[in-house]
Amino acid sequence: MKSKSLTFLLLIFLTCSCALSAIDPIERIDPPFWWTGMKNNKLQLMIYGQDISHRSVTIHYPGVRLDSIHQVDNANYLFLDITIGAETPAGTMPIKAGNNIFNYPLYPKPNEERRNQGIGPEDLIYLIMPDRFANGNPQNDIISSMEETSICRDSMYYRHGGDLQGIINHLDYISELGVTAIWCTPEVENNQPVTSYHGYSVTDHYKIDPRLGTNQLYQKYVNLCHQKGLKVIKDVVLNHIGSKHWMVKDLPMSDWLNDPEQHPQSTYNCDPIMDPYGSEKDRLITLKGWIHHSMPDLNTQNKYVQKYLTQNTIWWLTYAGIDGIRFDTYFYNDPEFLTQWASQVKEEFPSVTIFAETWVNGIVKQAFFNGGNTVNRDLDTQIDGITDFQLREAILTMVNKIPQEWKNILTPNIFMNPVYATLAADFVYKSPSYNLAFLDNHDLSRIFSVVGEDVRKLKTALTILLTTNRIPQIYYGTEIGMTGFCNPDGLVRSDFPGGWPNDMENKFTKEGRTTLENEIFHFTKKLANYRKNSDALKSGKMMQFFPMNNIYVYFRYTNNQIVMVVVNSNDHDVYINANDYTERTNAVSVAQNVITGEKINNLKRIPVPAYEAVVFQLE
C-alpha cells in the first residue's frame, strides 16, 4: 500500500510537469487533474487561455465523452462538460485546442485506509493558524514573486513565517496533548499585498500558499497526521475570494462576482435569511453584499461558480484524504447552493464531516443552518454540525459571573445556570453531539484573558468543554494559558513561543514552560487523554440535573461506564450526596477523581471545591 501511494505521488508530479509544458494557447485548466472511478462521473473543466473560445476544442480518450462546450462573456475562457465512464483507464487525456495539445492527467481514485474518515464526538480538535504556530522552513518565509514580501514578527498584521513543516515538526506534541484532529485556518494561496497571513483571501483555489509549503507537502502533512492517529479538517471559504485572485484580474463573466455597487456592503446579519417577514432587499444585502473591500463576493447563484467551488472541495478531499470541512462564513452564501454543495460532497464522501461557521445570536438561529430541517425551514442543509457560539457564551457566563447575574435569554427573570439552560434546548438539533464546542478561536478573545487569568475559571471552562456532549475544539496555546483580546483580531494570533529557531523560550517543552503554564498544560493533557479513552465521554448519553444551590451536576454514561461532572459555582466548598442522583448512581460504590486519582468511598459526602468543576469516574 505504501509503495502504491509513492507511485501515485510520483505520477502526479511527473504528469503535471508534462501538462504544464504545453501551455500555449491553454494557460490553465481547473481542476488541474481529476480521477477515474468517482461516484459522480461528470466533470466541468474551466479552460483559460488567450482567445481560447475562438479555437476548436476536442477530446478523444477511451471512456471519456465531451458533452458540451460553453462559451462565456470572456473569450479567454471555455467550460467543458465531460463524462468519465466507469471503465475509463487512468492515464493522460489529450485536450486539443486548435493546433495545440494539453495533456490532462486522470488518476485512479485513491482508496488507501485512513482517508476521509470523518470527525465525530470521539474527537478533540486543535485549531492552528499556520503562520503563527511554528516555522519549520525559514527558506520559504519570503517569496520574491508574491505581493507581500515582508516578514515582521513584531507586527500582528504582517506574516511571521509559520508553515506546514512547522506543524509537522510538532505533531508529537499535539498528539501527546490528547488531540485527535487538527483544523488549520486556510492553507491555500493568499497572494494579497497586506494581511495575507490569515488565509481567508484565497487567490488560487488549487494551490497551497508557497510560504506555507507546497501541495505535495500538504498531502504529506495529511498522511503523517493519519499515521499518528490524527485527523485533518480543511477550512473552506466559498463566499468570497481575495482581490488579487488570478481570476479577478480577468473575470470569466460579468456576474462571476456580486456587484458591490448594486449590493451595499453586508450587514453581517443572518436575520434576513430566516425572517419569515423579511424583505428581499435585506436578504440580498446579506447574501450578495461584500464583507470587506479586499474580499470580492462570489455570486454563488451562478451555475459555473457553483460547479467550480464544489469541484474544488471534492478535489482537495480526493487529493489529500481530508477528514472534515469547516465552512467559513456559511450563512452569507446562497442557501440552495449550500444544500447542493453539501449533497454532492456527501455523495462522493459520505463519511466526511461538515461543520458550518454560524456566528449568530440565538440557539434557534444556529439550528436554522444545521442539518435535518428541525425548525420548519423546508430545507435540509445536510450540515453535520454548527460552531456552537451559544454554548460558548453560556460557559463564559457561568464561569465569569456570579449566580445572581445568570440571566439567560431563555429565562430572563430567573437566575438559571446558563449551560444547563443551553443544553436543555438541544431538541432543536438533529445531532447536537456533532456541534463544535469551543472557548475561543482566531476571531475571539483568548479564554484565559476572558476569565481574568484565573486558573480555576479556566479549568472549569475546559472541564465543561471536554466532558459535555459536543465535539470540543481548543485553540493553539490555550493549553499553556496564552492571552490576548480580539480588539483588534491580531492580538489573539500571537506566535506559539518556541516555534521559531531563535525564540528565547520554548513552550513546547516542560522545561521551557513556567510553573503556571505547566499546571494548565498538564490539566488539559490529563483530561483530554482521559476523554480520549473514555467511552462515556466519547459516545455516551448525557443526563443533567436541574441546578440547585448553585451546583450543576451532569452525567455521561454507557452501559459500562459512568462519568459524573460537578460544577460548584459557590464561593465555598460543598459536599454532594450521590443519593440525590440515583437515576445514574444507584449501583455505584466508589467515585474516583479523574484528575487527582483520589478515590472517595463515602458517596454521601463527595467534596467539590469553591468555583471549581470536578470530574468523577463512578465504579
Side-chain angles (χ1 to χ4, degrees):
M1 191 68 71
K2 186 175 181 181
S3 61
K4 284 180 66 179
S5 298
L6 291 174
T7 303
F8 173 64
L9 286 172
L10 184 61
L11 273 171
I12 288 180
F13 178 76
L14 292 175
T15 312
C16 283
S17 299
C18 294
L20 291 173
S21 66
I23 58 173
D24 185 19
I26 298 176
E27 298 180 26
R28 180 182 180 114
I29 297 183
D30 284 348
F33 52 84
W34 203 249
W35 295 268
T36 61
M38 302 290 276
K39 293 177 183 177
N40 184 347
N41 64 358
K42 303 294 184 181
L43 177 66
Q44 184 172 92
L45 298 177
M46 185 180 77
I47 301 182
Y48 179 69
Q50 186 67 36
D51 292 327
I52 189 67
S53 68
H54 298 156
R55 300 174 183 266
S56 62
V57 176
T58 58
I59 296 176
H60 297 290
Y61 189 79
V64 174
R65 184 178 71 244
L66 177 57
D67 297 318
S68 54
I69 301 174
H70 303 281
Q71 295 179 328
V72 292
D73 299 347
N74 189 337
N76 294 334
Y77 288 86
L78 276 180
F79 290 83
L80 309 185
D81 292 336
I82 67 173
T83 299
I84 303 174
E87 304 302 320
T88 301
T92 302
M93 179 178 72
I95 300 176
K96 187 176 182 181
N99 296 322
N100 298 86
I101 295 177
F102 188 99
N103 294 317
Y104 189 82
L106 289 175
Y107 303 107
K109 183 180 180 181
N111 59 1
E112 293 93 337
E113 295 179 359
R114 296 197 296 255
R115 290 175 59 91
N116 312 121
Q117 302 167 84
I119 310 293
E122 71 277 8
D123 289 308
L124 168 59
I125 299 169
Y126 192 71
L127 168 58
I128 295 174
M129 182 162 276
D131 182 64
R132 304 298 167 87
F133 187 65
N135 188 351
N137 180 15
Q139 299 302 312
N140 64 15
D141 287 356
I142 296 176
I143 307 294
S144 60
S145 61
M146 301 194 76
E147 293 277 345
E148 185 175 13
T149 56
S150 298
I151 289 286
C152 183
R153 293 182 65 198
D154 294 329
S155 169
M156 286 298 170
Y157 296 101
Y158 282 81
R159 300 191 75 92
H160 290 192
D163 50 33
L164 288 172
Q165 188 60 52
I167 298 174
I168 290 171
N169 293 347
H170 294 94
L171 289 180
D172 288 340
Y173 166 86
I174 295 170
S175 183
E176 174 196 358
L177 188 60
V179 168
T180 62
I182 300 175
W183 156 28
C184 287
T185 53
E187 308 94 345
V188 290
E189 182 192 87
N190 273 230
N191 192 15
Q192 294 287 110
V194 292
T195 59
S196 66
Y197 70 92
H198 52 67
Y200 291 97
S201 299
V202 57
T203 54
D204 190 330
H205 283 82
Y206 285 95
K207 183 180 181 182
I208 295 295
D209 194 296
R211 293 160 296 193
L212 299 182
T214 63
N215 286 18
Q216 290 78 18
L217 183 64
Y218 182 77
Q219 191 178 53
K220 176 184 176 181
Y221 153 69
V222 176
N223 289 338
L224 287 172
C225 283
H226 287 166
Q227 291 172 23
K228 293 179 179 293
L230 296 166
K231 300 174 183 177
V232 176
I233 298 169
K234 188 163 185 61
D235 205 332
V236 171
V237 187
L238 306 188
N239 175 70
H240 54 269
I241 55 180
S243 57
K244 296 295 183 177
H245 194 289
W246 71 269
M247 263 191 276
V248 171
K249 302 171 184 177
D250 192 21
L251 287 171
M253 54 195 77
S254 59
D255 65 343
W256 193 263
L257 303 177
N258 289 317
D259 187 348
E261 295 185 5
Q262 183 179 357
H263 305 287
Q265 184 170 335
S266 175
T267 56
Y268 311 105
N269 197 307
C270 70
D271 289 352
I273 306 299
M274 60 186 69
D275 184 0
Y277 317 111
S279 70
E280 184 65 10
K281 172 187 175 181
D282 292 336
R283 183 174 180 274
L284 290 177
I285 289 175
T286 297
L287 294 178
K288 293 182 175 290
W290 291 24
I291 62 175
H292 193 271
H293 64 83
S294 67
M295 297 177 175
D297 205 74
L298 288 167
N299 177 15
T300 52
Q301 291 181 328
N302 180 309
K303 64 179 182 180
Y304 295 100
V305 174
Q306 293 176 353
K307 181 69 75 172
Y308 186 88
L309 296 174
T310 303
Q311 289 183 165
N312 178 252
T313 303
I314 293 172
W315 188 90
W316 280 109
L317 288 167
T318 311
Y319 174 71
I322 300 155
D323 305 293
I325 295 169
R326 183 263 187 184
F327 195 134
D328 181 69
T329 50
Y330 180 79
F331 69 75
Y332 296 95
N333 297 268
D334 178 72
E336 285 70 29
F337 161 63
L338 295 177
T339 300
Q340 173 186 302
W341 170 87
S343 176
Q344 293 181 23
V345 169
K346 291 285 189 179
E347 177 188 6
E348 199 66 52
F349 297 104
S351 297
V352 165
T353 308
I354 304 173
F355 303 104
E357 182 198 23
T358 49
W359 196 341
V360 299
N361 183 20
I363 294 171
V364 176
K365 293 179 182 180
Q366 288 186 164
F368 182 85
F369 297 106
N370 211 346
N373 187 29
T374 60
V375 291
N376 197 33
R377 187 182 178 181
D378 295 329
L379 178 72
D380 185 350
T381 64
Q382 301 194 46
I383 294 298
D384 296 295
I386 48 85
T387 50
D388 202 338
F389 280 83
Q390 298 312 299
L391 182 57
R392 172 186 179 267
E393 290 301 316
I395 295 172
L396 297 188
T397 299
M398 192 187 75
V399 300
N400 250 0
K401 295 185 178 182
I402 60 175
Q404 289 73 22
E405 297 175 335
W406 286 350
K407 290 190 175 181
N408 188 282
I409 189 172
L410 298 177
T411 55
N413 299 315
I414 303 175
F415 300 131
M416 175 64 67
N417 183 298
V419 175
Y420 171 87
T422 300
L423 295 177
D426 271 0
F427 57 86
V428 299
Y429 301 114
K430 179 182 178 180
S431 301
S433 62
Y434 275 80
N435 287 350
L436 197 69
F438 60 100
L439 303 174
D440 51 9
N441 62 27
H442 58 292
D443 291 323
L444 300 168
S445 296
R446 285 191 172 270
I447 179 62
F448 199 35
S449 290
V450 173
V451 299
E453 300 186 29
D454 185 320
V455 177
R456 289 186 305 177
K457 291 182 178 180
L458 175 62
K459 289 181 178 179
T460 296
L462 284 168
T463 297
I464 297 168
L465 177 73
L466 293 172
T467 59
T468 193
N469 63 335
R470 295 292 194 269
I471 302 175
Q473 168 251 300
I474 61 174
Y475 186 35
Y476 78 94
T478 295
E479 73 275 14
I480 59 169
M482 285 180 64
T483 59
F485 289 97
C486 66
N487 190 14
D489 290 343
L491 298 179
V492 303
R493 301 169 181 177
S494 300
D495 297 341
F496 194 107
W500 277 250
N502 298 321
D503 282 357
M504 300 296 292
E505 299 174 316
N506 184 4
K507 306 298 183 181
F508 287 107
T509 67
K510 178 181 179 180
E511 297 74 22
R513 295 188 288 264
T514 66
T515 301
L516 178 61
E517 289 166 345
N518 272 316
E519 178 184 351
I520 298 170
F521 177 84
H522 288 298
F523 176 86
T524 307
K525 175 183 174 181
K526 181 82 173 183
L527 189 52
N529 278 284
Y530 175 78
R531 183 186 192 279
K532 190 175 182 178
N533 295 289
S534 167
D535 289 340
L537 293 183
K538 290 190 298 182
S539 59
K541 296 179 181 179
M542 180 161 176
M543 179 179 289
Q544 61 177 354
F545 286 79
F546 191 84
M548 301 291 289
N549 302 317
N550 303 326
I551 299 171
Y552 173 42
V553 179
Y554 61 91
F555 294 81
R556 300 294 308 282
Y557 61 97
T558 64
N559 291 335
N560 301 312
Q561 186 182 51
I562 302 174
V563 174
M564 177 175 70
V565 182
V566 184
V567 185
N568 178 16
S569 297
N570 292 290
D571 58 3
H572 56 271
D573 297 354
V574 299
Y575 292 88
I576 69 163
N577 186 343
N579 290 339
D580 293 335
Y581 313 99
T582 54
E583 288 176 72
R584 297 268 60 88
T585 61
N586 189 34
V588 171
S589 59
V590 177
Q592 183 173 18
N593 187 312
V594 166
I595 299 298
T596 66
E598 177 189 5
K599 289 191 175 183
I600 300 164
N601 296 305
N602 184 359
L603 298 188
K604 293 183 179 181
R605 285 181 61 82
I606 302 175
V608 184
Y611 296 128
E612 289 192 18
V614 184
V615 183
F616 298 98
Q617 180 169 311
L618 305 185
E619 302 172 4

